[in-house]
Amino acid sequence: MLIVIEGLDGSGKSTQVRKLKKYLEGKNDKFEYIHFPRYDAPVYGDLISSFLRGDFGSMNEVHPKLVALLYAEDRHGAAPTMKKTLAEGGDVLLDRYVYSNIAYQCAKVADTNAREALRQWIFGTEYGAFGLPKPDLNIFLDVPISFVKSELEAARKGKDREYLHGAQDVHEADIEFQKRVRDVYRHQAELDPKFISIDCSDEFGDMLPPDDIFAKIVKEVESLKDSENIGSKAAASRKQDIK
């Protein structure tokens, strides 16, 4: 299975990815985890880090198609690893993937037609020209914007922030931009039945506890596994009938 976790910056995505990584590792000894973007990857990892630090100017000073290409090329470089694991019967977990590119770049485009053209171009580039494997399940963690705002206003630290060299991530500097990114994610979930939006809010609109959110994720993963097993059994039965 190829499973992707998507979410806004400061959405608690890293916590859920860690939980799911541990869960999947216990289910399949052939397992690969990749966090995108790969900041330590040659060429494109460094260029993405420079962009996010603001070395090329503000977020709106760089054409979103050029930024989308950087992220796409980073995934292109990781494609052989993903394909190898999947071909050997392994599971692959990705922290961000193609829909992340669509959400963050299309959120920068105001014109509806231009935004749709960019969306189609990203799909065509990543899945078409670059031949990236398509996920069996995309999960978007739809968290309260108030939670995202509080997280982004806090001093975020950790090894996964080293790419910033002490600067602020240009995508995290504007909460209104994060809202537009959320809108794009939600729209994609309406269009793609394999892109599941998980509501991470409680009845009062506050953030659910991490374990409650993880339970929802596991439910989706197990549902996918059940459907995969049914499909495999049906295929085996058809082969037997032919014999």
Side-chain angles (χ1 to χ4, degrees), residues 182-195:
R182 184 195 197 195
D183 289 341
V184 177
Y185 267 131
R186 284 176 158 180
H187 181 57
Q188 301 313 301
E190 293 174 356
L191 298 176
D192 183 354
K194 289 189 177 181
F195 191 18

Side-chain angles (χ1 to χ4, degrees), residues 71-120:
Y71 285 99
E73 285 285 11
D74 177 37
R75 283 186 280 276
H76 190 196
T81 298
M82 292 186 279
K83 290 179 178 179
K84 181 175 184 295
T85 300
L86 293 169
E88 293 174 348
D91 293 331
V92 178
L93 173 63
L94 304 179
D95 183 340
R96 297 198 184 283
Y97 201 43
V98 176
Y99 272 126
S100 183
N101 211 3
I102 288 173
Y104 278 81
Q105 305 319 316
C106 289
K108 301 170 185 175
V109 181
D111 181 77
T112 302
N113 292 333
R115 186 166 60 246
E116 176 60 19
L118 178 58
R119 185 181 83 96
Q120 294 293 341

Side-chain angles (χ1 to χ4, degrees), residues 198-201 208 211-220:
I198 289 182
D199 186 359
C200 300
S201 304
L208 283 170
D211 286 347
D212 290 359
I213 296 172
F214 184 61
K216 291 187 175 187
I217 293 174
V218 170
K219 182 178 179 181
E220 295 296 341

Side-chain angles (χ1 to χ4, degrees), residues 163-191:
Y163 70 96
L164 291 173
H165 297 174
Q168 184 177 21
D169 188 311
V170 295
H171 283 164
E172 299 176 2
D174 185 353
I175 191 62
E176 293 303 317
F177 172 68
Q178 294 288 328
K179 291 178 181 178
R180 295 196 298 274
V181 172
R182 184 195 197 195
D183 289 341
V184 177
Y185 267 131
R186 284 176 158 180
H187 181 57
Q188 301 313 301
E190 293 174 356
L191 298 176

